[in-house]
Amino acid sequence: PRGLSVAGERLWVACAGDDRLLALDAAELAVVDEIALPRGSRPFGVVEAPDGARFATGQGTGALYAVSPDGALSVAAEEPDLRGLAWS
């Protein structure tokens, strides 16, 4: 795992080694959601917005990925060597 964030009852994990995001039930640490990112993304930071959208940085691709609440993946921005994210 590379980056972690907490959103309500979920713990989001950025898994750089296999280009995916995992959501774990914070109490049970069981996987409750998984999002595959493009090969070579190497996700670093991950956050969940209040509306349920998820955002992740792809250190390997320079993409800021947005995942809508219904699971649609898109590229929201591109910058070289993106890393950490925060939501306030």
Side-chain angles (χ1 to χ4, degrees):
R2 186 63 85 142
L4 301 171
S5 69
V6 176
E9 301 295 318
R10 291 183 176 202
L11 173 65
W12 281 97
V13 182
C15 301
D18 55 1
D19 301 318
R20 65 186 176 146
L21 306 174
L22 293 179
L24 306 176
D25 176 282
E28 302 293 323
L29 297 181
V31 175
V32 295
D33 196 3
E34 180 176 341
I35 299 168
L37 298 176
R39 185 175 179 181
S41 295
R42 290 188 4 244
F44 193 100
V46 58
V47 295
E48 183 175 323
D51 68 357
R54 284 75 42 123
F55 296 90
T57 55
Q59 185 181 13
T61 57
L64 172 63
Y65 295 104
V67 183
S68 68
D70 67 359
L73 177 68
S74 64
V75 175
E78 293 182 291
E79 289 290 330
D81 201 29
L82 291 173
R83 295 191 186 207
L85 286 174
W87 192 273
S88 62

